[in-house]
Amino acid sequence: MKTNTLDLDAQALRERILDLAMRGKLVPQDPNDEPASVLLEKIKTEKAELIKEKKIKKTKALPEITDDEKPFDIPDSWEWVRLGDAINLVSGRDIPKKNHLTHPQEKSMPYITGASNINEEGKITITEWVNNPSVVVNQGTLLLSVKGTIGKTAVLNIPCAHIARQIMGIENIYNLDDDYQKYYLQSYVGELQKKAKSMIPGISREDLLLAIFPLPPLSEQSRIFYSTICRTSDFVEV
């Protein structure tokens, strides 16, 4: 089967743009932006409050990031952070096949079983439902396929769904830019695949929690996406 050179060139361009985005080289830094260090302190305060209100569980502290772990330099207004300190990660759980429904019932919930529910454009198709959901994610949660076909992403656009173990949900509870997080995950998965020569059996919970996340100021996160990545993605899809 012959590979289309234009497709390869477009993919290479997209990967390069994502790489530059994660390094802070796509848009100029604005000295008026609140630095990411302040954003981090706000996240820590909000996390403590959410734990106190029992909206999220208290988890084991993640290890500090060493200089050796930092893969490249980032702007002074950015911060390196463990991804697990910037999101709430939800691991899916399988429900026995005998309990799957092929049609929705009055109180049933959509069941997302894996990458087969997510197409290449990030659209979700629901084909099964369950009456006994146990791991529920809500509208707006970023979904990532972590077993089988890994690296597919989609934003849940229905009120809620149960996710199986092939899916993890990234809950943006600290109101970071959704698109920046999504494209970071795509860049991160691409790096994992390169290190494993394109073949990795899956992405573990630890892989995501310990991932090194380059965190820009909140305003810059939006500028990165809308000024550059969004336009480039439109070009690549043409």
Side-chain angles (χ1 to χ4, degrees):
M1 182 176 177
K2 189 174 179 180
T3 303
N4 189 320
T5 303
L6 288 177
D7 288 342
L8 289 175
D9 288 346
Q11 181 60 26
L13 172 62
R14 190 173 188 279
E15 290 176 359
R16 179 57 176 159
I17 292 294
L18 286 176
D19 179 65
L20 291 172
M22 297 307 118
R23 295 170 184 261
K25 295 182 180 295
L26 283 186
V27 297
Q29 280 69 56
D30 186 340
N32 295 315
D33 285 344
E34 181 179 82
S37 58
V38 176
L39 176 59
L40 270 181
E41 289 304 314
K42 290 182 177 179
I43 287 174
K44 290 177 183 177
T45 300
E46 186 172 353
K47 183 176 184 178
E49 190 63 27
L50 290 172
I51 291 172
K52 183 179 178 181
E53 295 173 357
K54 297 184 178 180
K55 292 182 178 179
I56 62 173
K57 294 180 180 179
K58 185 175 182 178
T59 55
K60 180 180 170 183
L62 299 174
E64 294 289 330
I65 299 171
T66 66
D67 288 339
D68 289 341
E69 288 182 279
K70 299 172 184 177
F72 45 78
D73 292 331
I74 54 176
D76 291 340
S77 56
W78 292 34
E79 291 288 334
W80 284 109
V81 59
R82 299 281 182 195
L83 183 61
D85 285 328
I87 62 164
N88 188 50
L89 184 63
V90 181
S91 297
R93 184 182 303 161
D94 289 343
I95 289 179
K97 188 69 177 176
K98 65 181 181 180
N99 294 328
H100 296 193
L101 305 171
T102 56
H103 295 88
Q105 296 181 354
E106 184 179 353
K107 294 184 179 180
S108 63
M109 182 175 291
Y111 183 27
I112 299 174
T113 60
S116 60
N117 292 104
I118 304 172
N119 70 12
E120 297 304 321
E121 286 75 45
K123 303 297 183 183
I124 299 172
T125 301
I126 304 297
T127 58
E128 295 180 286
W129 291 258
V130 291
N131 282 325
N132 56 336
S134 56
V135 179
V136 177
V137 290
N138 297 309
Q139 188 167 9
T141 300
L142 177 59
L143 305 180
L144 174 69
S145 62
V146 295
K147 296 182 185 298
T149 302
I150 70 156
K152 282 191 171 183
T153 58
V155 176
L156 188 67
N157 59 355
I158 55 178
C160 56
H162 174 101
I163 54 174
R165 60 192 289 269
Q166 292 191 6
I167 298 288
M168 288 191 195
I170 291 88
E171 293 182 331
N172 185 15
I173 59 175
Y174 304 118
N175 296 314
L176 304 181
D177 187 87
D178 291 314
D179 293 305
Y180 181 78
Q181 283 191 343
K182 176 182 176 181
Y183 284 100
Y184 162 75
L185 282 171
Q186 292 179 354
S187 175
Y188 174 66
V189 171
E191 288 301 312
L192 287 180
Q193 289 173 327
K194 286 179 183 178
K195 291 177 182 177
K197 298 181 180 177
S198 297
M199 296 297 292
I200 50 178
I203 300 172
S204 70
R205 184 176 177 86
E206 188 176 64
D207 285 334
L208 290 175
L209 291 176
L210 296 180
I212 311 298
F213 180 45
L215 180 67
L218 195 55
S219 298
E220 190 172 346
Q221 293 174 32
S222 298
R223 292 200 303 273
I224 287 171
F225 176 73
Y226 289 107
S227 298
T228 50
I229 292 179
C230 184
R231 294 177 184 177
T232 304
S233 295
D234 290 342
F235 163 74
V236 168
E237 291 169 3
V238 171

